[in-house]
Amino acid sequence: EQVEGTANILTTLYEYYPKLGVVFDGWTPPLTSSDYHRAEIRKDNEVIQEIIKKLPFRKQGRFGVIAGLPMLEKIRVGMSVDLFMANYTTGSINVARICRKPGVGHMSRRMVEHKSQHIHYRTREIDPQLVKDQGDLQTLAGYIDYSLPWQAIYNQLVVILAELNIEPSRPVDALPMPIDI
């Protein structure tokens, strides 16, 4: 649900924040890249393109893609963003830990037990009760697939935008959670 959920979050935010700019991040290669790293970058870029295709404002929107760029470039870009949404683990290292930006982090329920491995300064977490782990229980905590309602992330982002005094074009209400949680 990563593609659909992200598209729903961005589409709904755009309704209230029409000047929204989006930077998509993904795989960060090491100093010496390999075929493996290039393949991971391609996979992330495919997901990013799927999300962008689903955005009704894609022709009016402002998008940047930094998947595959070196870490220093990602940090430079991260310093210029207002907030983020990302997984709580390695997906948020640059923007949450190094750039110290506010944002929303999500993770599997099993990963919650290991979250102390990741330093965050201004990250709001999604309530683990809203997260459903999926798949094999033998999978390492950082690799477990999980599901969560996109509205949970959206609602936290709206709170952060208000705290940052970023004004919406019209009043914003929190979205109700799906009934089947």
Side-chain angles (χ1 to χ4, degrees), residues 108 110-111 114 133 136-145:
S108 70
R110 276 210 10 239
M111 190 62 204
H114 306 282
D133 288 357
D136 183 5
L137 295 176
Q138 302 305 316
T139 303
L140 294 172
Y143 295 93
I144 293 175
D145 285 333

Side-chain angles (χ1 to χ4, degrees), residues 1-52:
E1 63 198 28
Q2 178 182 11
V3 171
E4 294 293 331
T6 303
N8 286 333
I9 291 166
L10 295 176
T11 298
T12 308
L13 282 174
Y14 187 79
E15 291 174 19
Y16 298 98
Y17 300 91
K19 294 180 182 179
L20 175 73
V22 180
V23 177
F24 291 95
D25 197 355
W27 194 265
T28 304
L31 293 176
T32 304
S33 197
S34 68
D35 288 343
Y36 169 76
H37 297 288
R38 286 185 283 279
E40 292 299 320
I41 293 164
R42 278 192 299 278
K43 283 193 253 181
D44 282 354
N45 279 315
E46 288 171 8
V47 171
I48 291 166
Q49 292 309 312
E50 284 184 52
I51 294 167
I52 292 172

Side-chain angles (χ1 to χ4, degrees), residues 1-164:
E1 63 198 28
Q2 178 182 11
V3 171
E4 294 293 331
T6 303
N8 286 333
I9 291 166
L10 295 176
T11 298
T12 308
L13 282 174
Y14 187 79
E15 291 174 19
Y16 298 98
Y17 300 91
K19 294 180 182 179
L20 175 73
V22 180
V23 177
F24 291 95
D25 197 355
W27 194 265
T28 304
L31 293 176
T32 304
S33 197
S34 68
D35 288 343
Y36 169 76
H37 297 288
R38 286 185 283 279
E40 292 299 320
I41 293 164
R42 278 192 299 278
K43 283 193 253 181
D44 282 354
N45 279 315
E46 288 171 8
V47 171
I48 291 166
Q49 292 309 312
E50 284 184 52
I51 294 167
I52 292 172
K53 284 180 194 171
K54 293 191 175 297
L55 299 175
F57 63 94
R58 69 184 166 277
K59 292 192 184 348
Q60 300 86 8
R62 297 179 308 226
F63 305 103
V65 178
I66 61 174
L69 293 182
M71 184 177 285
L72 288 176
E73 183 64 16
K74 290 181 176 200
I75 292 168
R76 186 190 66 74
V77 172
M79 293 302 292
S80 69
V81 303
D82 293 310
L83 73 161
F84 73 91
M85 64 176 176
N87 70 58
Y88 194 90
T89 55
T90 57
S92 57
I93 285 176
N94 292 330
V95 72
R97 181 178 184 173
I98 297 170
C99 300
R100 294 185 180 212
K101 294 296 179 168
V104 179
H106 51 82
M107 67 193 107
S108 70
R109 289 180 83 160
R110 276 210 10 239
M111 190 62 204
V112 171
E113 301 167 21
H114 306 282
K115 74 178 194 165
S116 63
Q117 298 172 3
H118 299 275
I119 298 169
H120 286 253
Y121 295 99
R122 301 169 64 194
T123 303
R124 293 174 178 267
E125 299 170 29
I126 299 301
D127 181 347
Q129 297 302 318
L130 297 174
V131 179
K132 293 180 183 176
D133 288 357
Q134 301 174 332
D136 183 5
L137 295 176
Q138 302 305 316
T139 303
L140 294 172
Y143 295 93
I144 293 175
D145 285 333
Y146 55 96
S147 174
L148 69 144
W150 65 269
Q151 296 90 337
I153 296 172
Y154 169 85
N155 289 343
Q156 293 294 325
L157 289 171
V158 169
V159 171
I160 295 168
L161 287 164
E163 291 171 354
L164 294 172

